[in-house]
Amino acid sequence: MKLWGGRFTKETNQLVHNFNASISYDQKFYKQDILGSIAHVTMLEKQNILTEEERDAIVDGLQNILQDIENGILSITPEHEDIHSFVEATLIERIGDAGKKLHTGRSRNDQVALDMKLYTRDEIVALNDLLKDLLSVIHRLMSEHIETFMPGFTHLQKAQPVTLAHHLGAYFEMFRRDRSRLRDIYDRMNYCPLGAGALAGTTYPLDREYSASLLKFDGPTWNSMDSVSDRDYLIELLSALSTIMMHMSRFCEEIILWNSNEYRFVEIDDSYSTGSSIMPQKKNPDIAELVRGKTGRVYGALISLLTTMKGIPLAYNKDMQEDKELTFDAIDTVKGCLALFTGMIDTMKFNETVMAASAKRGFTNATDAADYLVNHGVPFRDAHGIIGQLVLLCIDKNISLDELSLEEYKKISPVFNEDIYEAISMKTCVEKRNTIGAPGKDAMTQIIAINEKYLQES
């Protein structure tokens, strides 16, 4: 069944039908289509456009269709152009002429706009829950590793000592912002396009505020042309999804490095690793690599939709049908990646001894050694040069600053005393940094308490 055709005298060419049809993918929101239709006919009866009997017959028919699809009794078949025509044709077949009144005061343009908003809104909730699960795992790891020392990096060079809790906390902030972005998108998009018609509303006395309230929107959209041609919320969502993937990809890149023989900071659980078909010693971080790789796929969806929308005049154009496959794929990709990534880091083991040793061997306490001299009256620029000489000596001897003898320290500067070793210990270097946001134990304990409250309340 087509929802149009009266002015046509020839059947659509099959290739044209296939090219034009969207049912192969828009069947994904059959539930939203049916729930939107139930709200629409409920409003039509309230406005005396349908009788109570007509409303009840249509609502019962739609609810039975929904139940039959979900129970596997009813299959969505490809001869229909889209999910809307499938649902309407099935309804008419089941309840007769009353079903033909389903589409009163409505166009496929506002119908598909509604379905996509309802679907996107549901998926934002699911994505938000997955991000919260990820944040809960990161929070647990932070709580467990307040005193796990490791090198902090700039330019991929060891810079200053931090803790694993502090390093993971940076990702907590990223994913916290991702949830905030999703919430903003939800709030901004949560206005109902139903009743906008094809582009210019309708002559029927619809109650758009009532339709919106039935579907838990904040209200109706305010311009019927924009209602059917707006895809900003999808572009915003794809942008937010791209950012989520970017954050996961950065984390995955670090896990891949940390998992290497050169670092040995982590061991990925066997259930999230694979082996080599030829090299028996290999244990590959495939999940981390695939998440990193799939980031480009999500970026592609964003660029594709931006490109599709850039030249489209008002109001609805068929180009906009291209939004669905891109968005569906991006959402499914991000949801899958979040679930697997969360499981991977939840089961990862951290080699705390290796991490601490790496911080020492990378001269991450050099700045603190310079600060020691400054605190003993040496100008910072002179202190910087003195510590540089000590680092060169350590490199030549293949040792860390902690392993230099006091005699060797004093040869370069007599200011050094026995307390230099305490001053440059990893514990001292980290724990004296206690301004909010720093890696010190007191500061991290405060942040972890803030994060705990955030997870409980959001």
Side-chain angles (χ1 to χ4, degrees):
M1 170 187 169
K2 290 184 173 66
L3 300 184
W4 50 272
R7 63 95 66 214
F8 288 78
T9 58
K10 293 172 65 176
E11 285 296 315
T12 306
N13 178 283
Q14 187 60 44
L15 287 174
V16 172
H17 171 82
N18 294 344
F19 189 68
N20 190 57
S22 58
I23 196 164
S24 63
Y25 48 86
D26 70 15
Q27 62 180 276
K28 203 173 184 78
F29 48 54
Y30 69 87
K31 182 177 181 180
Q32 288 79 13
D33 191 76
I34 291 171
L35 294 177
S37 290
I38 289 173
H40 181 62
V41 297
T42 301
M43 180 275 298
L44 291 178
E45 186 278 327
K46 173 181 174 294
Q47 297 302 103
N48 297 315
I49 299 168
L50 293 182
T51 66
E52 286 187 24
E53 292 76 14
E54 289 169 333
R55 178 203 62 193
D56 292 345
I58 293 171
V59 170
D60 287 346
L62 289 169
Q63 288 175 337
N64 288 332
I65 290 170
L66 177 58
Q67 184 176 359
D68 287 350
I69 292 173
E70 295 191 332
N71 290 338
I73 297 170
L74 177 62
S75 298
I76 300 171
T77 48
E79 69 267 15
H80 297 278
E81 185 178 352
D82 50 39
I83 190 61
H84 325 298
S85 56
F86 169 80
V87 170
E88 188 170 336
T90 305
L91 181 68
I92 293 168
E93 182 183 314
R94 291 188 174 192
I95 71 169
D97 285 349
K100 295 178 180 178
K101 297 187 177 184
L102 170 64
H103 210 54
T104 306
R106 186 173 68 173
S107 164
R108 271 192 305 178
N109 291 359
D110 60 338
Q111 186 179 2
V112 72
L114 172 68
D115 290 359
M116 197 63 180
K117 276 199 169 183
L118 290 173
Y119 179 85
T120 302
R121 201 173 64 175
D122 291 343
E123 292 301 309
I124 287 175
V125 172
L127 286 159
N128 182 63
D129 289 344
L130 286 167
L131 281 168
K132 185 174 182 180
D133 290 343
L134 173 56
L135 283 168
S136 296
V137 171
I138 296 174
H139 175 67
R140 176 183 65 77
L141 292 172
M142 289 173 67
S143 302
E144 293 172 358
H145 292 285
I146 294 177
E147 294 185 90
T148 299
F149 303 117
M150 64 173 290
F153 296 83
T154 63
H155 309 281
L156 209 56
Q157 303 291 308
K158 294 174 185 177
Q160 290 181 296
V162 295
T163 62
L164 180 56
H166 189 240
H167 192 106
L168 294 172
Y171 286 105
F172 192 100
E173 296 305 314
M174 295 181 207
F175 293 120
R176 189 209 304 264
R177 290 194 295 270
D178 288 327
R179 290 187 80 202
S180 175
R181 271 183 280 272
L182 290 178
R183 184 168 56 249
D184 289 346
I185 295 165
Y186 187 105
D187 291 344
R188 197 158 32 250
M189 67 171 281
N190 200 35
Y191 292 87
C192 183
L194 194 58
L199 81 158
T202 176
T203 57
Y204 291 97
L206 306 184
D207 186 340
R208 295 193 62 214
E209 287 80 5
Y210 182 64
S211 298
S213 68
L214 289 175
L215 293 166
K216 295 182 170 55
F217 284 100
D218 293 333
T221 51
W222 291 351
N223 183 283
S224 58
M225 293 181 77
D226 180 61
S227 301
V228 299
S229 63
D230 168 35
R231 297 297 183 272
D232 288 3
Y233 67 98
L234 294 179
I235 291 169
E236 287 188 61
L237 177 61
L238 290 173
S239 177
L241 295 181
S242 295
T243 304
I244 292 169
M245 289 300 295
M246 179 267 290
H247 290 155
M248 277 196 288
S249 185
R250 292 182 71 181
F251 204 159
C252 283
E253 174 68 12
E254 294 198 315
I255 290 169
I256 291 163
L257 289 170
W258 293 356
N259 184 69
S260 67
N261 292 332
E262 286 70 23
Y263 276 82
R264 295 185 295 113
F265 283 6
V266 300
E267 182 176 350
I268 300 173
D269 191 80
D270 287 355
S271 59
Y272 289 91
S273 304
T274 63
S276 165
S277 63
I278 189 172
M279 295 168 285
Q281 82 280 11
K282 295 293 290 298
K283 184 177 178 182
N284 300 324
D286 281 11
I287 297 303
E289 291 172 352
L290 281 169
V291 171
R292 186 177 62 180
K294 287 180 183 292
T295 300
R297 181 171 179 157
V298 178
Y299 287 4
L302 171 61
I303 297 301
S304 184
L305 186 54
L306 281 167
T307 305
T308 295
M309 293 300 298
K310 75 176 183 63
I312 297 181
L314 290 173
Y316 180 80
N317 294 265
K318 195 70 171 184
D319 316 44
M320 294 177 186
Q321 184 170 290
E322 287 296 297
D323 65 346
K324 293 169 193 60
E325 284 182 285
L326 299 166
T327 304
F328 294 158
D329 183 74
I331 289 172
D332 290 346
T333 297
V334 176
K335 286 168 69 177
C337 287
L338 279 169
L340 285 166
F341 182 79
T342 299
M344 179 180 65
I345 67 167
D346 191 32
T347 55
M348 247 176 7
K349 303 300 182 188
F350 294 92
N351 194 333
E352 299 175 25
T353 304
V354 172
M355 294 175 114
S358 178
K360 287 183 180 180
R361 302 292 284 205
F363 307 109
T364 58
N365 49 3
T367 301
D368 295 85
D371 289 342
Y372 171 91
L373 291 173
V374 170
N375 291 332
H376 286 75
V378 179
F380 178 78
R381 189 51 55 205
D382 292 341
H384 189 283
I386 290 168
I387 302 304
Q389 293 177 59
L390 287 168
V391 167
L392 280 174
L393 177 61
C394 288
I395 291 172
D396 186 56
K397 296 170 69 72
N398 195 28
I399 60 175
S400 66
L401 286 170
D402 310 66
E403 296 170 303
L404 278 175
S405 68
L406 184 59
E407 181 183 357
E408 289 169 313
Y409 271 106
K410 284 184 171 291
K411 278 182 183 179
I412 294 179
S413 174
V415 174
F416 288 111
N417 284 304
E418 192 69 38
D419 60 347
I420 180 60
Y421 298 106
E422 173 63 22
I424 64 171
S425 73
M426 291 296 110
K427 186 176 179 66
T428 302
C429 291
V430 170
E431 293 197 351
K432 69 184 180 183
R433 289 175 161 81
N434 269 310
T435 54
I436 191 72
K441 186 175 181 179
D442 291 345
M444 284 307 308
T445 300
Q446 185 179 355
I447 292 297
I448 286 170
I450 291 170
N451 292 347
E452 178 76 29
K453 183 178 180 183
Y454 161 76
L455 289 170
Q456 289 174 353
E457 294 178 350
S458 62

